Amino acid sequence: MLPALTYLQFHLVFSVPAVALLWFLAPRYDDAVRRRRSAIAIAVLVAIAYAYTTPWISYMIRRGAWWYADGAVLVRALSIPLGEYLFFAIQTVVTAFALHVIGFDPTYRDGDFARAPRVAGVVVGVAMLVGGLWLVALDPSFLYLGGLIAWVGPVVALQWAVGGGYLARTPRTWLAATLLPASYFWVVDRIAIGMGTWSISSELTTGVAVFGLPIEEILFFTAAGLMAVNGLVLFEWVLDWNDQRAATLSESASSRPPKRDSETVDD
């Protein structure tokens, strides 16, 4: 067994190089508006990641779904190690850079507000929330899996309620941008578990694993990446929709004949 890394050492070895490589490969947009919007989208998604993930991760750690090796953690807040907080931002940034390396078109098109995919996405998201909570109540071994599904469900419902039509016509983009970074995190997560940097509870998980990596961890990195990717693409897509709507309103206003002043009638 390789010697265990501290959480910060793990980031230096695995996370920082991934961020640096993808930052180097990411396109530098000539369009200043696109460049600014991309940067704002990443910043907003990082903030949302902290706000939405912190309570859930804190709860899971306090319940004992996973824990860290002695000496692997230097600082904690709300039971969460500093390294875990750093990971919220790192995974979001890595996923964002991967998305831009792959490339995506945030242009709004007619049909992107189609009702069917939006309703379907909401139904799936609500079903995930209800089903995940049911699993948590069913048996302790479903705590991590059920809690994860319930945590993701509301985000799925919200994102598809907003841009279900757009997401339905661009699956290759967001699937690729989700799975490529997730695959990297699967590998390094398995290495960290093998080193003993952190451990996953056998009592609070299903015990199903792929090459030694618990299925819950596989689904976590996939789900977190998916939420980040869809949030990023929808952020720019909504702005493009607003641009087109504003341009249409402006053209409509400019095409109207000027109003005539009412004629005065001399007595």
Side-chain angles (χ1 to χ4, degrees), residues 13 15 20 32 39 55 61 76 110 118 138 148-149 151-152 175 177 193 212 220 223 225 242 265-266:
V13 173
S15 302
I61 292 175
R76 290 178 186 257
D110 291 340
R118 296 169 70 196
L138 183 65
L148 174 63
I149 294 172
W151 174 63
V152 176
L175 282 173
I193 292 173
F220 169 78
N242 187 64
V265 179
D266 296 334

Side-chain angles (χ1 to χ4, degrees), residues 3 9 57 63 70 95 101 145-146 165 178 180 186 216 220 240:
Q9 287 173 336
I57 292 286
R63 284 293 305 271
D70 294 339
T95 302
V101 169
L145 178 62
T178 296
L180 289 177
W186 296 341
E216 291 85 355
F220 169 78
D240 186 76

Side-chain angles (χ1 to χ4, degrees), residues 37 106-108 236-245:
R37 288 180 174 181
T107 303
Y108 166 79
E236 294 195 45
W237 170 80
V238 166
L239 292 178
D240 186 76
W241 165 75
N242 187 64
D243 289 345
Q244 293 190 36
R245 185 171 67 94

Side-chain angles (χ1 to χ4, degrees), residues 110-134:
D110 291 340
D112 282 355
F113 282 123
R115 178 175 296 180
R118 296 169 70 196
V119 171
V122 171
V123 170
V124 170
V126 172
M128 291 174 67
L129 174 61
V130 174
L133 293 176
W134 176 75

Side-chain angles (χ1 to χ4, degrees), residues 27-222:
R28 273 58 174 174
Y29 296 113
D30 295 331
D31 184 351
V33 173
R34 180 75 191 277
R35 187 166 60 248
R36 182 174 64 254
R37 288 180 174 181
S38 299
I40 293 173
I42 294 173
V44 169
L45 262 293
V46 168
I48 292 174
Y50 277 105
Y52 192 67
T53 307
T54 296
W56 183 75
I57 292 286
S58 178
Y59 174 77
M60 285 293 171
I61 292 175
R62 286 185 282 109
R63 284 293 305 271
W66 62 85
W67 60 90
Y68 307 89
D70 294 339
V73 175
L74 301 178
V75 180
R76 290 178 186 257
L78 300 176
S79 302
I80 303 175
L82 172 61
E84 198 81 57
Y85 282 113
L86 292 175
F87 195 80
F88 298 169
I90 288 169
Q91 184 177 13
T92 304
V93 170
V94 166
T95 302
F97 285 166
L99 172 65
H100 286 283
V101 169
I102 292 170
F104 72 101
D105 181 6
T107 303
Y108 166 79
R109 296 179 184 174
D110 291 340
D112 282 355
F113 282 123
R115 178 175 296 180
R118 296 169 70 196
V119 171
V122 171
V123 170
V124 170
V126 172
M128 291 174 67
L129 174 61
V130 174
L133 293 176
W134 176 75
L135 285 174
V136 170
L138 183 65
D139 189 87
S141 64
F142 291 119
L143 174 69
Y144 190 170
L145 178 62
L148 174 63
I149 294 172
W151 174 63
V152 176
V155 179
V156 170
L158 176 61
Q159 290 179 335
W160 280 78
V162 172
Y166 172 77
L167 295 175
R169 72 172 173 84
T170 58
R172 290 185 180 181
T173 297
W174 50 263
L175 282 173
T178 296
L179 294 177
L180 289 177
S183 299
Y184 176 74
F185 288 121
W186 296 341
V187 173
V188 299
D189 184 40
R190 179 64 185 89
I191 293 172
I193 292 173
M195 288 179 173
T197 301
W198 53 76
S199 301
I200 309 299
S201 171
S202 58
E203 289 78 21
L204 301 179
T205 57
T206 61
V208 178
V210 179
F211 297 110
L213 183 62
I215 189 67
E216 291 85 355
E217 290 286 273
I218 294 174
L219 293 176
F220 169 78
F221 290 111
T222 304

